[in-house]
């Protein structure tokens, strides 16, 4: 488990617009939950750029449910941001 954690951390440090969707796909396939969470956060924060990549197209074609999960994550983030703005 320690090695898996170090690998997830190392891969998370390489996240970019070009590889985020591919890493999410790999993290999901290998049950790498920490890496998956970081990929989701990265994609949520950089979605406009990530959705233009070949990796996104591959993920959407092979595992569309991951895209649905990302959309849900984005919706929650927007909702939470709206709540913060109303209380300020």
């Amino acid at each position: 488990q320690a090695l898996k954690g170090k690998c997830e951390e190392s891969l998370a440090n390489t996240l970019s617009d070009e590889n985020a969707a591919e890493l999410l796909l790999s993290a999901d396939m290998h049950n790498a939950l920490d890496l998956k969470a970081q990929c989701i956060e990265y994609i949520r924060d950089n979605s406009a750029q990530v959705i233009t990549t070949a990796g996104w197209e591959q993920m959407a074609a092979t595992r569309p449910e991951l895209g649905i999960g990302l959309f849900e994550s984005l919706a929650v983030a927007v909702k939470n941001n709206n709540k913060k703005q109303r209380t300020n």
Side-chain angles (χ1 to χ4, degrees):
Q1 286 296 341
L3 179 59
K4 182 179 178 183
K6 288 181 189 276
C7 290
E8 287 184 54
E9 183 179 336
S10 179
L11 288 169
N13 288 333
T14 70
L15 273 168
S16 70
D17 297 347
E18 292 299 318
N19 71 10
E22 294 171 32
L23 284 176
L24 175 60
L25 190 57
S26 293
D28 186 64
M29 287 179 8
H30 298 288
N31 201 31
L33 301 180
D34 290 339
L35 178 58
K36 184 176 178 180
Q38 291 182 7
C39 290
I40 289 170
E41 182 178 343
Y42 183 91
I43 294 169
R44 185 185 69 218
D45 294 344
N46 300 280
S47 57
Q49 296 84 3
V50 173
I51 65 169
T52 65
T53 65
W56 177 265
E57 289 181 23
Q58 178 190 9
M59 187 200 70
T62 59
R63 298 293 305 278
E65 67 274 12
L66 289 176
I68 292 168
L70 283 163
F71 181 78
E72 290 170 350
S73 174
L74 179 60
V76 168
V78 168
K79 182 179 178 181
N80 289 339
N81 190 38
N82 288 342
K83 282 182 181 178
K84 279 185 191 177
Q85 289 178 353
R86 279 186 258 153
T87 59
N88 290 335

